[in-house]
Amino acid sequence: MKTTKPEKLKSVRYSKYGYWFILPFFIVYTVFSLWPLISTFYYSLFAYTTRNLKETITFTGLGNYLKLLGLADGEKAYFLKYLGNTLRIWVFNFIPQIALSLLAAAWLTDSRVRLRGKGAYKVLIYMPNIITAASISLLFYAFLSQYGPLMSVLRNAGLISQNSNIMSSTWGTSLAISFILLWMWYGNTTLLLISGMMGINASLYEAADLDGASTWQKFTRITLPLLKPILVYVLVTSAIGGLQLYDIPALFNASGYIGLPDDTSTTVTMYIMRLHSTDTGRAAAVSIMLFLITVLISLFLFRAMRQSESGRRHKKAEGGGQS
């Protein structure tokens, strides 16, 4: 049945109304995301100096970026140093977090595990996520300080020396911050993985049981491949949050913008806040570099997922053709 010309015009006219529904998104995105990003890049091309209460603005081009990377004369690569601190804290948080979350999610979704109070357990592991970062940071700072409860117990038991202090150790401080993040976000990651596992067809596991597959084989060949979209989402959001990490290390160190000891737990966002009041141009350059690194990591993860997914489909097609 052919569509008449008036009907075509009518459908085109009605289709235009759809643009009015998506217009608010583009307006909000332009005002609160795109324009701030463009203006930040603009500010990064200038040097702002204040002398005698007078601010001087000088165009430097890519000078701020060269200074941050240590490519300018007399400048150190502070950005790379603080990026290394940030990645170290994130890695020691995320690797055990994803491992424990996968284990807990598989345990809670396994029909053979007859565990009472699964709902209560889910609530308990998620509760740290609803506590404010300031409360958690100050709590652990008081607990792990040199004369806090934990150190006092270990000192009285003779397990550590009288002068031991986690806060004066580079690895001790980094691992403590990583543990706080692990404890805080472990429940959220577990619930995301549980939702993904519950969406997997149970008949796949029943067929695997009939074929005599072990628990490990079912987990690696059924659960993980079908859970990959959720895993990529968790990995990307965790990487973005890890690169933008600020509140926990800043409050845990109780030092504002300097991560103790000796600036070894200072993150990139702490560095941005430190520069904001003294060198706006360099702070803007750090923000742009952090944005570009976040985009590159996200694109890499999405590309890796797409390649592995296409490879899996190609193998399946080859197997089907040979059978």
Side-chain angles (χ1 to χ4, degrees):
M1 183 177 179
K2 295 183 178 180
T3 304
T4 61
K5 188 173 182 181
E7 290 178 348
K8 288 183 179 180
L9 294 175
K10 189 175 182 180
S11 62
V12 170
R13 185 171 67 252
Y14 284 148
S15 65
K16 292 181 179 179
Y17 288 108
Y19 293 106
W20 291 101
F21 288 97
I22 63 175
L23 184 61
F25 165 78
F26 288 102
I27 294 176
V28 173
Y29 175 78
T30 302
V31 174
F32 294 101
S33 295
L34 183 60
W35 174 248
L37 179 63
I38 296 174
S39 60
T40 301
F41 177 73
Y42 173 78
Y43 293 142
S44 69
L45 303 178
F46 296 86
Y48 299 80
T49 56
T50 302
R51 293 181 181 177
N52 298 325
L53 302 179
K54 182 180 180 181
E55 185 179 54
T56 303
I57 303 176
T58 307
F59 179 77
T60 59
L62 300 178
N64 288 323
Y65 296 92
L66 297 177
K67 292 177 181 178
L68 291 171
L69 296 174
L71 300 178
D73 294 337
E75 297 289 341
K76 295 182 179 180
Y78 286 109
F79 175 79
L80 299 179
K81 174 184 177 181
Y82 299 139
L83 179 63
N85 295 343
T86 306
L87 292 176
R88 182 178 66 248
I89 294 173
W90 176 72
V91 167
F92 282 102
N93 150 49
F94 182 74
I95 292 179
Q97 179 189 146
I98 194 66
L100 292 174
S101 298
L102 278 171
L103 181 62
W107 181 50
L108 291 171
T109 55
D110 194 339
S111 59
R112 296 175 301 176
V113 178
R114 300 183 180 277
L115 178 67
R116 294 183 178 180
K118 288 185 179 181
Y121 181 77
K122 295 175 184 178
V123 172
L124 288 175
I125 63 175
Y126 187 76
M127 283 186 66
N129 192 251
I130 65 177
I131 304 175
T132 60
S135 302
I136 293 177
S137 301
L138 296 177
L139 171 66
F140 276 91
Y141 177 78
F143 185 71
L144 298 174
S145 61
Q146 186 174 7
Y147 300 103
L150 177 62
M151 300 299 289
S152 299
V153 170
L154 295 177
R155 192 179 294 110
N156 294 334
L159 299 176
I160 59 175
S161 63
Q162 295 295 321
N163 297 325
S164 295
N165 184 10
I166 293 178
M167 309 301 292
S168 62
S169 170
T170 300
W171 284 102
T173 304
S174 298
L175 291 176
I177 296 173
S178 298
F179 177 77
I180 295 173
L181 294 169
L182 166 64
W183 180 73
M184 186 175 179
W185 291 100
Y186 159 71
N188 181 72
T189 304
T190 302
L191 293 182
L192 287 173
L193 295 178
I194 287 175
S195 65
M197 290 181 182
M198 291 178 66
I200 300 176
N201 194 340
S203 62
L204 297 174
Y205 295 103
E206 295 174 0
D209 289 332
L210 294 175
D211 291 336
S214 63
T215 303
W216 177 252
Q217 289 175 330
K218 289 188 291 183
F219 180 74
T220 55
R221 298 184 182 183
I222 298 177
T223 305
L224 284 182
L226 296 178
L227 198 63
K228 191 169 295 181
I230 299 294
L231 285 174
V232 172
Y233 170 78
V234 170
L235 186 59
V236 170
T237 53
S238 177
I240 294 173
L243 290 173
Q244 298 176 355
L245 183 62
Y246 172 74
D247 47 5
I248 297 294
L251 294 169
F252 179 76
N253 282 286
S255 57
Y257 307 143
I258 300 177
L260 301 176
D262 300 328
D263 220 16
T264 55
S265 62
T266 302
T267 62
V268 177
T269 49
M270 292 172 65
Y271 185 44
I272 293 174
M273 296 302 296
R274 185 195 305 176
L275 291 172
H276 180 264
S277 57
T278 58
D279 195 339
T280 305
R282 196 175 299 193
V286 176
S287 302
I288 293 298
M289 293 175 68
L290 184 62
F291 167 76
L292 293 177
I293 291 174
T294 303
V295 170
L296 290 176
I297 291 177
S298 301
L299 291 176
F300 170 77
L301 293 173
F302 282 116
R303 184 176 179 82
M305 175 219 169
R306 189 178 305 159
Q307 288 180 347
S308 61
E309 185 69 18
S310 61
R312 186 172 65 87
R313 292 178 179 176
H314 183 66
K315 288 183 179 179
K316 185 182 292 186
E318 288 182 348
Q322 293 175 357
S323 59

